[in-house]
Every structure is written in C-alpha cells, then in structure tokens.
C-alpha cells in the first residue's frame, strides 16, 4: 500500500507546527517536523565545537541524524534555530536530510511533513500541500506572547527583526528557497485561530482523501 503524504510549508512561527501535530493526530499519520533535522545537525556541530560553514563536515553530521531521537525541547533554543538556518543553505546538507525525510514520508498509512521545501522539493507529488503563513508582525507577536506566557521576558522589536532576518535567509537562498508550490493551498493565519486553521486544513484534506 502507498502512503498518503500531507506537505506543510511556511515561514517560522506561522503556526505550522501546531497545525501539523493536530492533523497528524486527527488522521493517525506519522509526523515529522523537518526543521528539527536541520536543528539537530546544527546542535551536533555546535556541541562538537565544529564550524558551521564547512560543507563536508556538516554533511557528515547530517547523515548521522537519527529521526527517532529528535527532541523538540532540547532543539528549540534560539541559537540552534539561527545555526540551523545557516547550515540549511548548504546543498550537501540538504541532500543528506532530504533523503532521510523522503524515507520517512513513505511510511504507511500516511505522513505529515512540515518545513520549508516539502511541497516543492522533498515530496513534490504529495496529494495535499498547504502553505501556512501570517504577517511578520503577527508571527513576532505570537513568539513574544509565547515567551511571556512562560514567565520570561522578551524584547518585541528584537524578535520582530529576527523573524524578518530568518525569512530573508530562508526565502533568499539559492537551494530550495521557501516558497509555495504551484499547487499548494494558501492558508493565511494572520487573523485566524488555530481551530479555524485546522478546520480549513481538514476540509482540504478530506476533499483529497
Ligand atoms: O522550522 P524551524 O525553525 O525549526 O527550522 C529551522 C531552520 O531550518 C529554518 O530557518 C530553515 O532555514 C531550515 N529548514 C529548511 N528546510 C526545512 C525545514 C527547516 O531549510 N524543510
């Protein structure tokens, strides 16, 4: 039997993580947050004191990433996200991680992969593609509220600048830039609750199943 793949792409903090988890749960599909594979590679380099700009070294680390051992809590740190977006510009790193992601995507009965290039590069034949986005202000605001919610302090302007810098790096790179696939359904969550976004995604998926 063939696997049914749902590809979810979009910029940082657009809500695709939460949405992907809800969808995977609803349909009983396996879920892979592909950002964690870039983060795990970056963390391994940082921990080993290795440079972030040596493509051969970074590729070797990427090939050692175990999908089963990806821990969101350990990998969520801001510096790791920054380092991840730096190593994500290197084609050899992307090739290594995309191979692992494609093997994951083939699991049955179905899979949800979220990231930046799932609908365009990793799973171009996915029967459902969603491009989840929101304005940079709204995404920065959500990050900010999330941090305050944990009882910590944050600087809104710094987070806002950060969101824009990450967008530029992800959309501007030559290999697999962030952009909607031609056949992706656009979901702008700027003025949408997570429940509303889930409902919209749900109808799109049911129509394709
Ligand atoms: O989504 P997350 O913030 O965890 O991703 C960290 C970084 O990894 C992104 O900023 C992006 O540069 C890179 N990434 C990527 N392709 C993916 C997923 C993440 O280039 N499919």
């Amino acid at each position: 039997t063939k696997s049914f793949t749902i590809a979810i792409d979009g910029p940082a903090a657009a809500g695709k993580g939460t949405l992907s988890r809800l969808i995977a749960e609803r349909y009983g599909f396996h879920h892979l947050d592909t950002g964690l594979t870039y983060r795990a590679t970056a963390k391994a380099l940082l921990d080993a004191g290795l440079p972030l700009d040596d493509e051969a070294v970074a590729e070797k680390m990427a090939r050692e990433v175990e999908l089963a051992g990806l821990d969101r809590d350990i990998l969520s740190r801001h510096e790791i996200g920054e380092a991840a977006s730096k190593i994500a510009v290197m084609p050899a790193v992307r090739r290594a991680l995309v191979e692992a992601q494609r093997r994951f995507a083939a699991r049955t009965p179905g899979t949800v992969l979220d990231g930046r290039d799932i609908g365009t590069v990793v799973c171009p034949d996915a029967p459902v593609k969603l491009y989840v986005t929101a304005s940079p202000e709204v995404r920065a605001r959500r990050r900010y509220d999330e941090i305050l919610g944990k009882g910590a302090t944050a600087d809104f302007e710094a987070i806002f600048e950060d969101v824009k810098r990450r967008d530029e790096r992800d959309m501007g790179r030559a290999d697999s830039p962030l952009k909607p696939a031609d056949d992706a359904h656009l979901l702008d969550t700027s003025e949408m609750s997570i429940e509303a976004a889930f409902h919209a995604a749900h109808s799109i998926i049911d129509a394709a199943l």
Side-chain angles (χ1 to χ4, degrees):
T1 53
K2 221 169 146 279
S3 169
F4 188 93
T5 298
I6 300 170
I8 304 185
D9 291 303
K16 51 182 186 1
T18 309
L19 186 62
S20 301
R21 278 191 290 282
L22 289 174
I23 291 171
E25 209 172 285
R26 165 66 181 76
Y27 292 92
F29 287 179
H30 307 279
H31 171 224
L32 178 64
D33 172 351
T34 62
L36 295 182
T37 66
Y38 290 89
R39 285 172 181 265
T41 305
K43 180 172 188 295
L45 290 167
L46 291 172
D47 287 352
L50 292 166
L52 294 173
D53 58 357
D54 184 324
E55 190 155 358
V57 169
E59 177 188 2
K60 192 165 173 296
M61 283 302 192
R63 295 207 177 271
E64 282 168 18
V65 167
E66 299 263 8
L67 297 194
L70 299 172
D71 186 323
R72 197 181 316 274
D73 288 330
I74 294 173
L75 296 171
S76 70
R77 273 196 4 245
H78 177 68
E79 309 81 69
I80 298 179
E82 279 294 302
S85 84
K86 286 178 188 152
I87 59 142
V89 305
M90 298 190 281
V93 168
R94 304 202 66 86
R95 263 194 313 273
L97 296 177
V98 166
E99 276 175 29
Q101 291 160 14
R102 285 189 180 140
R103 281 195 298 275
F104 184 94
R107 294 187 190 181
T108 54
T111 49
V112 179
L113 278 78
D114 72 282
R116 303 289 189 287
D117 61 340
I118 309 304
T120 51
V121 175
V122 182
C123 303
D125 298 329
V128 175
K129 298 179 185 178
L130 303 177
Y131 190 85
V132 183
T133 185
S135 72
E137 291 81 0
V138 166
R139 289 185 283 126
R141 170 65 55 185
R142 286 180 188 158
R143 268 277 142 88
Y144 178 75
D145 290 343
E146 192 184 324
I147 296 170
L148 294 197
K150 287 178 183 159
T153 52
D155 174 352
F156 178 79
E157 279 308 317
I159 295 175
F160 185 42
E161 288 311 314
D162 221 79
V163 161
K164 288 189 287 187
R165 202 172 49 233
R166 182 88 74 84
D167 281 0
E168 267 170 34
R169 205 181 285 144
D170 289 348
M171 294 174 184
R173 69 181 173 223
D175 188 349
S176 316
L178 169 64
K179 63 167 184 220
D182 292 336
D183 52 349
H185 297 266
L186 302 188
L187 216 58
D188 186 331
T189 68
S190 297
E191 293 178 24
M192 240 187 213
S193 65
I194 182 65
E195 289 80 14
F198 177 63
H199 273 289
H202 195 275
S203 338
I204 293 166
I205 297 163
D206 282 351
L209 271 174

